[in-house]
Amino acid sequence: MLAKLAAELGVAVGTLLGDDDAPPAKTEPAVTGGAAVVQALLQRKDASLRPSPANELRDRVEQAWKVWQNSPTRFTDAEALLPGLIHDAEGTVRALRTGTHGGERREALRVAADLYGLLRSGQLP
C-alpha cells in the first residue's frame, strides 16, 4: 500500500517514512499542478526556507480562500497559489520554532492552520 501511495505521489517510499537519504523515485514526473502542491507539503530541510511576516502570510491565505470560494476556475487558480504559499508558511513556522518570537510564532501557526484548512476543504489537487 505504501509503495502504491509513493508511486502515486511520485516520491520514494523512504520519503514517506521520513528517510532523508532515500534514493529518488525511479521515474520523476513533471512537477505541475497537484504534484507541486504535494512536493511543497513534503519539503524537508530546505535551505531556502525563510520566515515571512505573519501579516503578509495572513493576507495571502485569505486571498487563497477567496479564490477557492469565488473563482469559477478555482482548481487551476489554487494550484498556482498553493505551492509558494505552503513553502512560505512552512518556512515561517520552522524558522520561528525556537527563539523569543512567541507572538509572531503563534500567529504563524494560526495562519498555517487556516492554510491547512483550505487544503482539506475541497480535495484540492
Side-chain angles (χ1 to χ4, degrees):
M1 179 60 105
L2 194 56
K4 287 181 183 180
L5 180 60
E8 183 65 28
L9 295 174
V11 299
V13 173
T15 301
L16 297 175
L17 297 172
D19 181 4
D20 293 328
D21 297 324
K26 290 182 182 179
T27 57
E28 293 293 328
V31 179
T32 58
V37 172
V38 170
Q39 283 198 343
L41 288 167
L42 293 175
Q43 65 192 345
R44 295 205 183 265
K45 296 182 182 179
D46 186 342
S48 68
L49 294 177
R50 301 278 185 262
S52 297
N55 62 335
E56 176 187 304
L57 286 174
R58 166 67 57 206
D59 292 343
R60 290 172 61 198
V61 169
E62 288 176 2
Q63 180 60 37
W65 270 104
K66 287 177 186 173
V67 164
W68 181 249
Q69 292 169 341
N70 299 315
S71 176
T73 56
R74 66 184 179 173
F75 285 100
T76 302
D77 296 342
E79 281 182 350
L81 293 172
L82 289 173
L85 186 52
I86 293 166
H87 182 270
D88 293 347
E90 286 288 318
T92 300
V93 167
R94 289 179 186 174
L96 297 175
R97 186 172 286 160
T98 59
T100 58
H101 310 286
E104 186 78 2
R105 181 174 184 265
R106 281 188 294 279
E107 181 58 20
L109 289 169
R110 283 188 206 95
V111 170
D114 290 344
L115 174 58
Y116 299 141
L118 173 61
L119 292 169
R120 276 193 331 262
S121 70
Q123 304 300 320
L124 290 174

